[in-house]
Amino acid sequence: ATHSLCLDATGTVYAFGDGDSGRLGLGDVENRYHPESITCTCWTDVAGVIHEARAVPRFAAIAAGLEHSVLMDASGRVFVCGAEESGK
């Protein structure tokens, strides 16, 4: 794996590793050598409408793919970051 995600008991997600394609969800493509908290506050719904949250969500589940990351918040919203090729 080229990047890792960690979820703590408070619902905060930390990302580190290869930042290529924005897969870390930190707003850039820089590599991170130490865990850094993800503070995303926007998501796109299935209709393609972008929404902005008032606060950083508490996450409940995470997954790190080859070139992308998937996070689900406590209300079931899904956040994806990283490469958008091959249906990722």
Side-chain angles (χ1 to χ4, degrees):
T2 59
H3 74 293
S4 297
L5 301 174
C6 304
L7 175 64
D8 73 12
T10 69
T12 300
V13 175
Y14 299 88
F16 57 102
D18 183 349
D20 192 35
S21 301
R23 71 186 80 184
L24 297 179
L26 298 171
D28 58 36
V29 295
E30 301 298 319
N31 295 340
R32 298 299 198 291
Y33 301 100
H34 304 285
E36 189 169 321
S37 62
I38 294 177
T39 58
C40 61
T41 58
C42 63
W43 72 96
T44 305
D45 65 23
V46 293
V49 177
I50 297 173
H51 300 272
E52 182 77 24
R54 293 188 177 156
V56 176
R58 291 188 60 196
F59 293 101
I62 58 174
L66 181 62
E67 295 181 345
H68 62 287
S69 297
V70 181
L71 313 132
M72 185 179 73
D73 73 7
S75 68
R77 293 179 299 194
V78 175
F79 298 72
V80 181
C81 50
E84 295 180 23
E85 51 201 44
S86 302
K88 296 177 191 152

